[in-house]
């Protein structure tokens, strides 16, 4: 127990020293929040454009044009789901890029204390040059799981509307399973990015090594 307390105190002390040496690192999460807000606004705009996409046609049962009907395009629903998945992937990709830059900056600073004067700029260059593929893969997997959770939630709502208990039960079970899978992927993804920042491995190998590292030290 004492060893654990000493270990945690060491982590907190090193984290505080890292932030003191690199104060600009605190701006990265703010930048990520601003970017996600912009992406969210763009997604709302595209969603509204998609939702009202169609042609106004005169209702044959009425004489007046103000009683016209709107014929929606058949592509509206598939395009909405595509747009939603793109929103998830882009948002997670940028958020994971920020996380990786922080991990990479911390690793460069820790192993080159007093030698590297600009660890943040070096980490950004390293990320953009070598590791965007791994970040894209990790964010794609998590976005896919979140997307499937959304489909399960939609199926559950449809089951409630149609009073179909079997559909509700299956959709609820799928939501629970996918929620667990999502947490596992988030956990493995974060440790994978740490491993990539330390060793430069690809995402799959880094996720495997990060998992077994946690298991060995559990």
């Amino acid at each position: 127990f004492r060893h654990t307390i000493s270990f945690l105190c060491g982590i907190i002390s090193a984290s505080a020293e890292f932030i003191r040496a690199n104060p600009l690192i605190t701006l990265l999460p703010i930048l990520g929040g601003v970017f996600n807000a912009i992406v969210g606004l763009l997604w709302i705009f595209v969603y509204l454009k998609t939702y009202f996409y169609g042609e106004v046609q005169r209702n044959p049962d009425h004489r007046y044009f103000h009683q016209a009907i709107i014929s929606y395009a058949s592509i509206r629903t598939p395009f909405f789901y595509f747009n939603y998945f793109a929103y998830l992937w882009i948002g997670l990709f940028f958020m994971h890029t920020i996380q990786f830059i922080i991990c990479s900056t911390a690793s460069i600073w820790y192993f080159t204390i007093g030698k590297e004067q600009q660890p943040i700029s070096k980490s950004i260059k390293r990320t953009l040059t070598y590791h965007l593929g791994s970040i894209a893969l990790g964010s794609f997997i998590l976005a896919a799981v979140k997307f499937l959770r959304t489909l399960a939630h939609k199926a559950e709502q449809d089951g409630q509307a149609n009073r179909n208990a079997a559909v509700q039960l299956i959709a609820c079970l799928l939501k629970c399973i996918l929620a667990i899978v999502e947490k596992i992927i988030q956990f493995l993804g974060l440790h994978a990015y740490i491993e990539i920042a330390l060793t430069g491995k690809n995402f799959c190998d880094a996720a495997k090594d990060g998992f077994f590292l946690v298991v060995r030290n559990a």
Side-chain angles (χ1 to χ4, degrees), residues 47 123 141:
Y47 168 77
S123 177
I141 295 172

Side-chain angles (χ1 to χ4, degrees), residues 172-189:
C172 185
L173 290 174
L174 286 175
K175 282 176 59 179
C176 293
I177 294 172
L178 290 171
I180 296 172
V181 172
E182 180 181 339
K183 293 297 182 182
I184 293 173
I185 292 176
Q186 286 178 337
F187 179 80
L188 291 178

Side-chain angles (χ1 to χ4, degrees), residues 185-201:
I185 292 176
Q186 286 178 337
F187 179 80
L188 291 178
L190 179 58
H191 285 80
Y193 295 143
I194 295 173
E195 284 286 331
I196 295 171
L198 291 172
T199 64
K201 294 181 178 180

Side-chain angles (χ1 to χ4, degrees), residues 18 22 24-29 31-32 93-109 118-129 131-132 135 190 193-194 196-198:
F18 167 69
N22 304 277
L24 292 179
I25 203 72
T26 57
L27 297 178
L28 290 180
L31 180 63
F93 175 76
F94 195 82
M95 183 179 69
H96 289 182
T97 301
I98 296 295
Q99 290 178 350
F100 183 82
I101 291 174
I102 294 174
C103 294
S104 180
T105 303
S107 66
I108 294 172
W109 170 82
Q118 296 179 330
I120 298 178
S121 59
K122 184 175 180 179
S123 177
I124 293 174
K125 181 179 178 181
R126 178 189 179 197
T127 302
L128 298 179
T129 305
H131 301 299
L132 286 182
I135 297 171
L190 179 58
Y193 295 143
I194 295 173
I196 295 171
L198 291 172

